[in-house]
Amino acid sequence: MTPTNAYAAPAAGAALAPFQFNRRNTGPNDVKIEILYCGVCHSDIHQVKDEWGGSIFPMVPGHEIVGRIIETGSNVTNFKVGDLAGIGCFVDSCRTCPSCAAGEEQYCDEGMTGTYNSYERDGRTPTYGGYSTHIVVDEKYTLHISDKLPLEAVAPLLCAGITTYSPLRHWKVGKGSKVAIVGLGGLGHMGVKFAASFGAEVTVISTSAGKEDDARKLGAHHFAVSKDSAQMRKLRGEFDFILDTVSAEHNYNDYLQLLKLNGTMVVVGIPEHPSTVNAFNVIGKRRSLAGSMIGGIRETQEMLIYCAEHGITSDIELINIDQINEAYERMLKNDVRYRFVIDIASLNKA
């Protein structure tokens, strides 16, 4: 076992603090990664606060991990010591169900093994995430990271990136598509970058008029303020596809009315409480309301290659680990442009 330094939440809603635990030894199919950077996802806050229920404490969050391989198991063939590597939102799955066989491990019929706040396949060993110095993962759930882009800005691609890339690809958003991105935060800013890169005409809809300049710099062609009822009325029936990235409470009906005939709205943000949908808003124009998670390993690797080829990364603010509680507070106030990333080197100094 390897003693590993980390930051953990000791109980629901508690401040994160230094914590030490043991990682398993590197098995024959495993790689051991020295973590260099870890992104901070809003879902980290949800789970630390136990807002979704079932949280496991102490909890070491973090599922946007970039690092360097420092050890490989005897059976590993896809990685070598010194390679850059990434770990996203899950580290294992059943491997045999139809979803896993199709390369959609995130929808594993038996449930994927989360990178943190989950249990290993034995059902009793908790997983600990990327707010730590090292991680050991099966090579099948490990991703290659290009050295063409700044690693700290690549880290959020492992969640925020793939969460937006996957639905845009699945619903074939591209040239000729009229797309709205609801919310311009950690997820939304990546949705704008991808949709624009794919050739869509992109509108950002935000509660904050002050984000218009940012939206246009990120690639948006249009901008609307959701609190402005006149602007929202003008957008009714305007869009083929809406990507709703908002995790705060909001009314889905306001946005469903913006879809064209046969349009689709996909939810990727997760508010704390369920939303009510008026049936007329989907029946009237044969609209669809759908959801999407992250991508599987194959699609996530595809996204990372696409980003390296097209120079796409997240807009980040780099922090030290001892700033994590302050970062959480700022995220709750939407005071970040657009993703915090922890410099894990600071953990060894904390």
Side-chain angles (χ1 to χ4, degrees):
M1 305 291 278
T2 304
T4 302
N5 293 326
Y7 256 53
L16 276 72
F19 176 69
Q20 190 174 77
F21 66 96
N22 289 320
R23 292 283 189 198
R24 71 171 187 263
N25 292 328
T26 307
N29 300 311
D30 291 335
V31 295
K32 182 177 182 180
I33 300 170
E34 178 187 13
I35 300 174
L36 302 176
Y37 300 101
C38 184
V40 181
C41 180
H42 201 103
S43 62
D44 298 349
I45 299 177
H46 284 303
Q47 294 182 88
V48 163
K49 291 179 176 290
D50 197 20
E51 291 177 346
W52 296 340
S55 289
I56 303 164
F57 297 98
M59 183 191 300
V60 178
H63 56 208
E64 300 178 340
I65 300 167
V66 171
R68 192 176 300 279
I69 292 178
I70 57 173
E71 188 175 37
T72 61
S74 57
N75 294 339
V76 170
T77 59
N78 203 29
F79 294 89
K80 63 182 185 302
V81 171
D83 284 352
L84 295 173
I87 302 296
C89 299
F90 60 94
V91 292
D92 210 339
S93 63
C94 81
R95 310 187 186 207
T96 59
C97 72
S99 295
C100 288
E104 301 278 9
E105 302 94 341
Q106 74 275 30
Y107 301 122
C108 176
D109 292 355
E110 295 184 12
M112 66 181 184
T113 299
T115 302
Y116 73 91
N117 194 32
S118 186
Y119 289 104
E120 299 283 3
R121 302 316 288 183
D122 63 11
R124 61 180 184 271
T125 304
T127 58
Y128 294 124
Y131 296 11
S132 60
T133 52
H134 300 85
I135 191 166
V136 177
V137 181
D138 189 303
E139 71 165 331
K140 292 184 182 295
Y141 296 82
T142 305
L143 297 145
H144 289 278
I145 301 293
S146 170
D147 61 1
K148 294 180 180 179
L149 301 171
L151 297 181
E152 63 273 21
V154 168
L157 298 179
L158 278 303
C159 177
I162 189 57
T163 297
T164 51
Y165 181 95
S166 184
L168 290 167
R169 284 304 199 199
H170 180 78
W171 274 273
K172 297 179 172 56
V173 168
K175 189 174 182 180
S177 302
K178 296 190 74 171
V179 173
I181 307 294
V182 180
L184 193 65
L187 291 175
H189 93 287
M190 291 306 310
V192 173
K193 289 187 178 189
F194 284 131
S197 177
F198 298 162
E201 181 180 339
V202 181
T203 298
V204 167
I205 303 176
S206 173
T207 58
S208 175
K211 289 188 175 181
E212 180 169 2
D213 286 347
D214 276 8
R216 293 186 183 278
K217 289 175 183 175
L218 291 165
H221 305 92
H222 313 286
F223 184 87
V225 178
S226 58
K227 294 178 180 179
D228 187 323
S229 57
Q231 289 188 41
M232 292 293 279
R233 278 196 301 273
K234 288 181 180 178
L235 293 175
R236 287 183 180 175
E238 185 72 12
F239 301 109
D240 302 295
F241 184 88
I242 296 174
L243 186 65
D244 184 346
T245 71
V246 177
S247 59
E249 302 300 322
H250 62 295
N251 190 345
Y252 290 166
N253 297 286
D254 293 341
Y255 302 98
L256 285 167
Q257 296 177 60
L258 309 185
L259 289 170
K260 294 179 179 180
L261 176 66
N262 296 323
T264 300
M265 175 169 144
V266 176
V267 173
V268 292
I270 309 176
E272 182 179 357
H273 301 292
S275 297
T276 300
V277 174
N278 185 333
F280 287 108
N281 285 329
V282 290
I283 289 172
K285 286 189 179 291
R286 202 160 56 202
R287 298 165 173 137
S288 298
L289 175 63
S292 179
M293 285 179 60
I294 50 175
I297 295 297
R298 182 187 63 241
E299 187 176 44
T300 305
Q301 189 66 69
E302 171 193 303
M303 176 213 60
L304 289 166
I305 293 169
Y306 183 89
C307 289
E309 290 175 347
H310 293 83
I312 296 174
T313 57
S314 293
D315 290 14
I316 70 155
E317 181 177 334
L318 193 63
I319 62 170
N320 290 333
I321 191 67
D322 61 5
Q323 297 172 281
I324 188 61
N325 293 302
E326 177 189 351
Y328 277 17
E329 292 300 318
R330 287 180 55 192
M331 286 171 67
L332 293 171
K333 298 174 183 176
N334 294 317
D335 179 25
V336 56
R337 295 290 201 276
Y338 279 95
R339 202 74 160 183
F340 286 116
V341 174
I342 304 165
D343 182 351
I344 297 298
S346 65
L347 184 52
N348 291 318
K349 303 172 186 175

